[in-house]
Amino acid sequence: MAWRSCSVLCRLIGGDPFLCSVKGGRWPGGFQQHCSFKKASRTPEPKQPEGPRLQNQAPCPPRSPAAPRAFSRLVRPFLFTVGFSGCSFGAAAIWQYESLKSRVQSYFDELQADWLQKLRPQKRGDVRKEINQWWNSLTEGQKTVAGIIVANVLVFCAWPLVPLPIMLRYFTSSPASSALCVPMLLSTFSHMSLFHLAANMYVLWSFSSSAVSMLGREQFLAVYLSAAVTSSFSSYLWKTATGRYGPSVGASGAIMAVLALVCTKMPEAKLAIIFLPMFTFTAANALKAIVAMDTAGLLLGWRFFDHAAHLGGALFGIWYILFGHELIWKNREPFVKLWHDLRTRSGGGPGGPGGAV
């Protein structure tokens, strides 16, 4: 039943290849979670309560148009965006430090594994060997986004299995929802149609190699997660300003950041549409067209896409590759030094307590 409801919702909101939002700013039918999601009817008619359990329940009064537009509700999402982004870059810096620290040990482990593999008799049709060969043939960027793709697929499969109220509460983002912060991240791993999921993951896979080669896997993941919550906050801001509170799902805000930073860094790169490979255009022109389309969508009130999230992600990607890399990533040395001192004092060095890295 839940799967059928999700399918109906997808048909109502359209096949969005990026970030889809509920058309008209409302959940269809039984998807209205709270009174705050409903719009006051122009000609309200009194209704008789149905069933004995509703006899003593007061009707939900219509909310005035100015009441939901309380920008004070965005303080917590803003702090969550800043705090989560800072933690993402901090964790990425620590991850890179630990990776460099263990690189020598990993090198000797790989030599030992290769030696043991030569002694071990080879099996014909070994599935694990074929999987390893396929994995080793991938680029560093493709290996990095493989985990993101798996997470998106798992959340997509959870829609018909997990109770629908839980999925709507935590895996769709809306400034009118009772849960504000956690859905800003979880909704960027959520898709409600197979085409929506496949299109987003294809674009992410296509740009992953270029992005990771420029940033490295640690910095790339920090940028991706930060762009995810930043695009959600941009959506919150626009919905609060316009009074349209339709919930949104999809990874396109974060993917737009990846696309924007690659197109900004390599503006002369040639791109093509998958279904029209004969038409090519530069990355700079593609980025301008996408930003122009989303800007027009905001000004003209289009509701098929979450244009605010698209623009938020794209602007974050452009800002990061032009200024953020210098301001954030290249100034991580004091934080890494602090982590190194803590590891040294706690005996985390290879030489035991007080060992040097």
Side-chain angles (χ1 to χ4, degrees):
M1 187 65 183
W3 175 250
R4 179 178 176 83
S5 300
C6 290
S7 301
V8 173
L9 178 61
C10 291
R11 290 195 295 270
L12 288 172
I13 62 179
D16 179 359
F18 294 104
L19 187 66
C20 59
S21 59
V22 175
K23 193 172 183 179
R26 298 182 56 187
W27 285 108
F31 281 81
Q32 304 267 356
Q33 296 183 59
H34 302 287
C35 165
S36 59
F37 281 94
K38 297 183 180 180
K39 295 182 180 178
S41 177
R42 294 183 179 176
T43 57
E45 298 179 358
K47 272 191 172 183
Q48 295 295 333
E50 299 179 3
R53 62 187 181 87
L54 297 178
Q55 290 180 357
N56 299 327
Q57 183 176 353
C60 185
R63 191 185 289 261
S64 61
R69 303 188 188 184
F71 286 92
S72 59
R73 280 179 57 84
L74 299 182
V75 174
R76 280 195 304 144
F78 174 75
L79 296 177
F80 176 79
T81 301
V82 175
F84 180 82
S85 300
C87 292
S88 297
F89 282 100
I94 293 175
W95 181 18
Q96 187 185 60
Y97 166 84
E98 296 294 339
S99 298
L100 293 174
K101 178 173 169 293
S102 59
R103 182 168 295 178
V104 175
Q105 183 62 38
S106 299
Y107 173 76
F108 286 110
D109 291 342
E110 290 176 1
L111 289 180
Q112 184 180 7
D114 292 340
W115 179 73
L116 292 175
Q117 189 174 5
K118 290 179 180 179
L119 295 179
R120 186 183 305 163
Q122 299 293 327
K123 296 181 180 180
R124 299 183 63 182
D126 192 348
V127 177
R128 288 183 300 177
K129 181 181 177 181
E130 294 178 0
I131 294 176
N132 288 334
Q133 290 177 348
W134 170 79
W135 178 258
N136 293 330
S137 67
L138 299 179
T139 64
E140 186 68 21
Q142 292 170 338
K143 293 178 181 178
T144 302
V145 301
I148 299 176
I149 295 175
V150 170
N152 280 268
V153 172
L154 291 178
V155 174
F156 176 75
C157 295
W159 272 98
L161 303 176
V162 179
L164 194 58
I166 296 178
M167 298 300 295
L168 293 176
R169 179 182 176 87
Y170 294 107
F171 289 89
T172 64
S173 63
S174 170
S177 176
S178 58
L180 288 175
C181 296
V182 175
M184 294 176 68
L185 176 65
L186 297 184
S187 65
T188 61
F189 291 87
S190 179
H191 299 80
M192 296 179 111
S193 72
L194 184 59
F195 176 76
H196 186 199
L197 172 67
N200 274 347
M201 296 302 102
Y202 174 80
V203 175
L204 178 62
W205 182 269
S206 300
F207 284 87
S208 61
S209 299
S210 299
V212 173
S213 65
M214 287 190 296
L215 303 176
R217 59 177 181 174
E218 298 88 359
Q219 186 181 186
F220 170 82
L221 288 176
V223 170
Y224 183 88
L225 295 176
S226 300
V229 294
T230 301
S231 63
S232 295
F233 181 76
S234 302
S235 177
Y236 278 13
L237 191 63
W238 182 256
K239 289 176 182 178
T240 303
T242 58
R244 298 172 181 173
Y245 297 98
S248 300
V249 295
S252 58
I255 295 173
M256 281 293 294
V258 175
L259 185 149
L261 67 87
V262 171
C263 292
T264 303
K265 189 69 174 179
M266 300 186 299
E268 300 301 324
K270 294 295 183 180
L271 303 179
I273 302 175
I274 181 175
F275 300 111
L276 300 171
M278 69 288 300
F279 298 105
T280 60
F281 40 85
T282 63
N285 290 334
L287 181 59
K288 293 175 184 177
I290 292 173
V291 171
M293 185 191 71
D294 285 319
T295 303
L298 285 184
L299 298 178
L300 299 177
W302 299 345
R303 302 184 185 182
F304 191 71
F305 299 100
D306 193 339
H307 298 284
H310 287 186
L311 277 178
L315 293 178
F316 179 84
I318 295 172
W319 171 83
Y320 187 83
I321 201 63
L322 294 179
F323 309 105
H325 178 73
E326 296 286 338
L327 294 174
I328 299 176
W329 193 249
K330 288 195 174 181
N331 291 321
R332 70 190 186 280
E333 183 178 352
F335 177 77
V336 174
K337 186 176 184 303
L338 175 63
W339 175 256
H340 167 72
D341 294 339
L342 292 175
R343 290 274 289 155
T344 303
R345 293 195 195 101
S346 62
V357 178

